[in-house]
Amino acid sequence: MEHTWYMNVLLTGATGFIGRLIHQEFNLAWNITGVSLHGDSSRNIYKCNLSDLGAVKALKGLIIPDVIIHAAGDKDMSRCELNPFTAYNVNVQSTVNLVSVFPQARIIFLSSDYVFSGARGGYAETEVPSPQTIYGRTKVCSEMAGSLIDTEFYTLRLSALYNNEASFIKFLRESLSQGQQVDCFDDAYYSPTYYRHFLEVLKALVEYKQLINRTFHASGPRTSRFLFAKSFANVAGFDVDLVKPVSRTSSSLPFLVSDLSLSSERTLQELNLHLESHESFIIDMEQRSE
Ligand SMILES: NC(=O)c1ccc[n+]([C@@H]2O[C@H](COP(=O)([O-])OP(=O)(O)OC[C@H]3O[C@@H](n4cnc5c(N)ncnc54)[C@H](OP(=O)(O)O)[C@@H]3O)[C@@H](O)[C@H]2O)c1
């Protein structure tokens, strides 16, 4: 069922939040070559602007990848809104360059729940995308361009990824440990992705020889920010009454939608994986930080 040789993996975005997690987890199992826009010589991460076709072609001198994990991109939604051309170059042109330079590699492209509008939630892998933001549109464009050009192109959509370093978790821990009240939206639903679950899905996508489908979801169960924060407070031993519900309609924050949750039923079935509750994930996260 699985590849057994020492795989050559090109990891883009290796300096980023997700790229670092992938590098740490699989560095011994796979032969990983990491690249990023600015590089990091202290960690052997090469500098490469993926929007530049010439720079991507030059990567052939470094590695002939069996698999490319494409985790580079601009996820700053406000910046993408302000400059769609730059967003296109970083999020779409980079993908087109990778698929055209490495047609023989399996490519796993990290996409987002923002390919959907967020009006209804429970979006399945088969749902037609309906992005409402420039960021979301660049992700859809990239998904489509990749799968149009390359038969070994796979999309892996994530919701907000959490571990102990994620900004929402850090904010909750800091505020609750100081006895401060935290206001959380009880009408903004999503399906945050626990990082260990993401790594499990990614491993299967990299190592399985035969994949039936081209689009996969790595997400957690549907929840609101309020319910998630309550679960966190409970498991981490903080006062749950410090977590208060507020409405997203009272907020001036952009890009808040009513329900952006993903369903990952088909992914779990094909990859033979199981999804835990957020409580179980948070328990695991707390145990790992001890
Ligand atoms: N984090 C999440 O919760 C989440 C959720 C859904 C989807 N995603 C998607 O997952 C991917 C990774 O997210 P992340 O949180 O790890 O992002 P991140 O921390 O912002 O990291 C972005 C990475 O992309 C690299 N990069 C940016 N422009 C580049 C270019 N032109 N050429 C080469 N590399 C470039 C950066 O390199 P430098 O550091 O050298 O500048 C950095 O390594 C993104 O595509 C994002 O859309 C993330």
Side-chain angles (χ1 to χ4, degrees), residues 95-286:
T95 307
V96 173
N97 289 345
L98 285 167
V99 291
S100 59
V101 171
F102 296 108
Q104 80 294 351
R106 169 177 290 188
I107 299 192
I108 296 153
F109 167 63
L110 300 194
S111 190
S112 160
D113 46 4
Y114 276 94
V115 300
F116 298 112
S117 69
R120 179 171 47 75
Y123 299 106
E125 294 87 340
T126 48
E127 197 97 23
V128 177
S130 49
Q132 301 297 307
T133 59
I134 297 291
Y135 170 70
R137 285 184 204 138
T138 61
K139 288 296 192 185
V140 175
C141 261
S142 218
E143 290 183 3
M144 292 178 78
S147 48
L148 175 82
I149 302 169
D150 190 339
T151 52
E152 273 288 291
F153 183 92
Y154 299 90
T155 289
L156 176 55
R157 297 189 187 126
L158 320 177
S159 300
L161 201 88
Y162 68 95
N163 68 355
N164 268 313
E165 296 307 309
S167 44
F168 189 45
I169 298 287
K170 277 172 137 173
F171 160 74
L172 289 176
R173 195 183 295 283
E174 215 171 284
S175 309
L176 296 171
S177 65
Q178 290 169 17
Q180 286 169 7
Q181 176 177 318
V182 291
D183 295 337
C184 298
F185 304 120
D186 64 349
D187 53 1
Y189 283 83
Y190 67 149
S191 50
T193 307
Y194 182 47
Y195 83 107
R196 299 295 318 168
H197 178 66
F198 158 72
L199 292 171
E200 190 178 39
V201 174
L202 180 70
K203 183 177 190 310
L205 292 185
V206 168
E207 294 186 352
Y208 275 30
K209 270 190 187 141
Q210 303 287 341
L211 291 167
I212 301 162
N213 292 297
R214 304 280 294 274
T215 302
F216 296 86
H217 287 176
S219 56
R222 176 181 182 271
T223 186
S224 68
R225 290 185 185 267
F226 170 68
L227 292 172
F228 183 86
K230 282 256 189 211
S231 299
F232 174 78
N234 184 33
V235 172
F238 296 114
D239 179 358
V240 289
D241 293 332
L242 288 172
V243 182
K244 302 285 184 203
V246 288
S247 171
R248 72 192 157 86
T249 54
S250 65
S251 162
S252 58
L253 281 174
F255 316 117
L256 273 175
V257 289
S258 65
D259 194 341
L260 203 55
S261 60
L262 299 177
S263 149
S264 55
E265 228 169 275
R266 189 182 75 171
T267 299
L268 296 172
Q269 201 175 11
E270 176 170 347
L271 304 180
N272 201 16
L273 297 173
H274 171 73
L275 190 62
E276 304 280 339
S277 65
H278 286 299
E279 283 75 12
S280 307
F281 284 147
I282 296 167
I283 290 170
D284 183 72
M285 186 171 79
E286 289 298 287

Side-chain angles (χ1 to χ4, degrees), residues 74 76-92 133-135 137-138 255:
D74 189 356
D76 183 324
M77 299 182 67
S78 301
R79 191 163 52 213
C80 290
E81 259 352 272
L82 282 175
N83 199 337
F85 294 106
T86 311
Y88 174 87
N89 270 328
V90 177
N91 288 346
V92 186
T133 59
I134 297 291
Y135 170 70
R137 285 184 204 138
T138 61
F255 316 117

Side-chain angles (χ1 to χ4, degrees), residues 13 15-18 36-38 48-50 71 75 135 139 161:
T15 53
F17 173 49
I18 297 183
S36 83
L37 182 59
H38 299 95
C48 175
N49 181 358
L50 296 167
K75 64 178 181 187
Y135 170 70
K139 288 296 192 185
L161 201 88

